[in-house]
Amino acid sequence: MKDQEQQQEPPPPQSPPPKMSQEKQPPPQQPKTQPTSYGQGGAGRSFCMCIFIFLLLAGTAALTVWLIYRPYKPRFTVVGAAIYELNATSQPFISTSMQFTIVTRNPNRRVSIYYDKLQAYVSYRNQQITPPVDLPPLYHEEKSTVALSPVLGSGMVPASLEVVNGLMTDEAYGVVALRVVLLGKLRWKAGAIKTGRFGVYVKCDVWVGLKKGVVGEVPLLGAPPCKVDI
């Protein structure tokens, strides 16, 4: 028994299991934030605000000047007429020579008017019966009146059968309805300020007394104020 006990040796002590090495994990990375553009946006808004204020002030100043110097249309009236020739017998042409005295009034107290490239002609039943005549440039002072007396016509002008027959009929009747037309460009001037050019179109309807064979000054049977479009 003793021999058996001596033969049985105690088992060798077991070494503890090796510890697992724990790997170090990197710290969590914070999300990257893009730099804000508050500075650029603020500068852009300030610039837009300055532009808006400038335009508002400029518009207010322009409106104030316009209300102070507000220009009114010039007025035109035919006050005299003379017929030197009106021959409608050479169909399809007519030969005319006329003179009209036109008075124009500038009603503005602070605004003067410059007329450029003015032309005048006469029409009958919406058909032109005289070639256009160039008028000299005209300066119209404030609250002033200017008279124009252009001679219109001379020479043969082609005309439709309606115009020829109408003129012969009206001449025999003793009353002819004509339209004097002025067109061109005008500019307003208020102090040192000059505007750009505006188109002006003036229509003056007149009724003249006409007897066959009589030339020279003729009576105006009707001459309402002219219509002015600008």
Side-chain angles (χ1 to χ4, degrees):
M1 293 294 292
K2 291 180 180 179
D3 295 337
Q4 291 179 357
E5 292 176 359
Q6 293 177 355
Q7 291 179 357
Q8 293 180 357
E9 296 179 356
Q14 296 182 358
S15 59
K19 295 182 179 180
M20 300 293 293
S21 61
Q22 295 181 357
E23 296 181 357
K24 294 183 178 181
Q25 297 182 356
Q29 297 182 354
Q30 295 182 356
K32 296 182 178 180
T33 59
Q34 296 181 354
T36 58
S37 58
Y38 292 128
Q40 296 179 358
R45 285 193 294 271
S46 299
F47 178 75
C48 293
M49 182 61 66
C50 291
I51 293 296
F52 173 76
I53 294 175
F54 173 77
L55 293 177
L56 181 61
L57 293 177
T60 303
L63 179 60
T64 303
V65 172
W66 178 261
L67 291 176
I68 295 175
Y69 293 98
R70 180 174 44 184
Y72 295 96
K73 294 180 181 180
R75 301 166 187 167
F76 291 79
T77 307
V78 177
V79 297
I83 306 296
Y84 303 115
E85 184 180 5
L86 183 58
N87 185 2
T89 59
S90 303
Q91 299 182 14
F93 297 93
I94 60 174
S95 178
T96 60
S97 179
M98 311 175 186
Q99 186 176 18
F100 293 91
T101 302
I102 306 166
V103 173
T104 174
R105 173 74 176 171
N106 180 8
N108 300 286
R109 291 184 298 174
R110 300 184 180 93
V111 180
S112 56
I113 306 173
Y114 287 91
Y115 293 95
D116 300 319
K117 301 179 180 179
L118 277 178
Q119 289 186 328
Y121 65 87
V122 178
S123 67
Y124 174 79
R125 295 190 179 182
N126 295 323
Q127 297 186 38
Q128 188 173 328
I129 61 173
T130 65
V133 174
D134 294 328
L135 303 180
L138 175 64
Y139 174 63
H140 213 168
E141 296 181 353
E142 301 88 342
K143 283 289 185 178
S144 62
T145 302
V146 177
L148 307 173
S149 296
V151 177
L152 308 174
S154 74
M156 304 297 290
V157 177
S160 66
L161 184 61
E162 177 188 1
V163 168
V164 172
N165 293 337
L167 282 174
M168 295 177 65
T169 302
D170 291 348
E171 185 178 7
Y173 185 69
V175 179
V176 179
L178 300 172
R179 172 174 289 176
V180 184
V181 178
L182 298 174
L183 69 162
K185 302 288 185 179
L186 66 75
R187 292 174 292 163
W188 310 100
K189 182 178 182 295
I193 301 174
K194 289 183 181 180
T195 67
R197 288 180 171 86
F198 294 87
V200 57
Y201 184 60
V202 183
K203 297 181 293 185
C204 305
D205 293 323
V206 296
W207 289 263
V208 297
L210 183 63
K211 293 182 180 180
K212 190 171 182 179
V214 177
V215 296
E217 188 175 354
V218 294
L220 281 175
L221 304 180
C226 306
K227 182 179 180 181
V228 181
D229 295 322
I230 297 177

